[in-house]
Amino acid sequence: MAQTRSEPPLLIQAILEGFVDGVLILTTNQDWFHANECGRRMCSQINQGRSQINSIPDPIWRVCESLIDSREWFCDRKLILETEIKVDKSVKVRVRVRWLTLELSPDPYLLVTLEDQNQSSQNSASTDALKYGLTPREQEIWSLKKSNLTYREIAQHLFISINTVKKHLKNIYAKQKY
């Protein structure tokens, strides 16, 4: 069965679904060509139920429009536009937009990647915990530190003193040196 214009090849679909980040492939007319499950979920989260399902959130589309508008000036460069969207206090998304040329269409698509900054910090902290042999409490504190919380915010979040936070971080830094 031949592929139609409206669906990407199965191999590409499988690869996109395997990404931890959200991936959107959009047309310059603001239509969805493809989105992986993570991308759909993150768009829904950014829209916070204010738009219909599978609609491109305004902050994401503004970055896409900037890339489209810059096409005449930077047509010979591989340009990537990036911004961060703060959805709420606990969710921050990094948006990257670049051009994507596919053989199945003469018109280029927009490739949008969406990275949940907090999830990335959690993954990095978990990797560090294994690498440096951190205790569960150190891992918890390190994860909050990697999410850019202050000592005071970490202490409040975990119901411990600031001095206890400092002591744990000192131990973590010592483990990282050896």
Side-chain angles (χ1 to χ4, degrees), residues 25-119:
I25 300 174
L26 310 173
T27 69
T28 55
N29 294 325
Q30 202 171 351
D31 294 322
W32 293 67
F33 177 70
H34 183 76
N36 67 1
E37 180 59 36
C38 184
R40 287 188 292 275
R41 186 179 66 251
M42 292 174 82
C43 284
S44 177
Q45 192 175 27
I46 292 167
N47 278 330
Q48 297 179 337
R50 293 185 296 254
S51 300
Q52 59 188 357
I53 294 175
N54 287 352
S55 71
I56 303 161
D58 288 338
I60 293 174
W61 185 247
R62 282 193 292 272
V63 181
C64 293
E65 285 179 318
S66 295
L67 186 64
I68 293 167
D69 292 344
S70 69
R71 187 171 21 186
E72 292 177 21
W73 301 312
F74 301 105
C75 62
D76 58 338
R77 291 195 183 147
K78 294 193 180 271
L79 193 63
I80 299 172
L81 297 185
E82 181 177 314
T83 192
E84 286 188 359
I85 299 171
K86 193 166 187 174
V87 178
D88 58 35
K89 187 173 175 103
S90 64
V91 179
K92 190 167 45 171
V93 176
R94 176 179 290 145
V95 179
R96 291 186 182 107
V97 181
R98 68 189 79 178
W99 289 108
L100 174 66
T101 304
L102 300 175
E103 290 178 10
L104 51 104
S105 172
D107 299 320
Y109 291 89
L110 298 160
L111 175 62
V112 180
T113 55
L114 307 171
E115 178 187 1
D116 180 332
Q117 297 283 265
N118 294 333
Q119 186 62 47

Side-chain angles (χ1 to χ4, degrees), residues 132 170-178:
Y132 300 114
K170 182 178 176 183
N171 291 340
I172 292 167
Y173 294 133
K175 287 180 179 183
Q176 290 175 347
K177 286 187 178 184
Y178 297 107

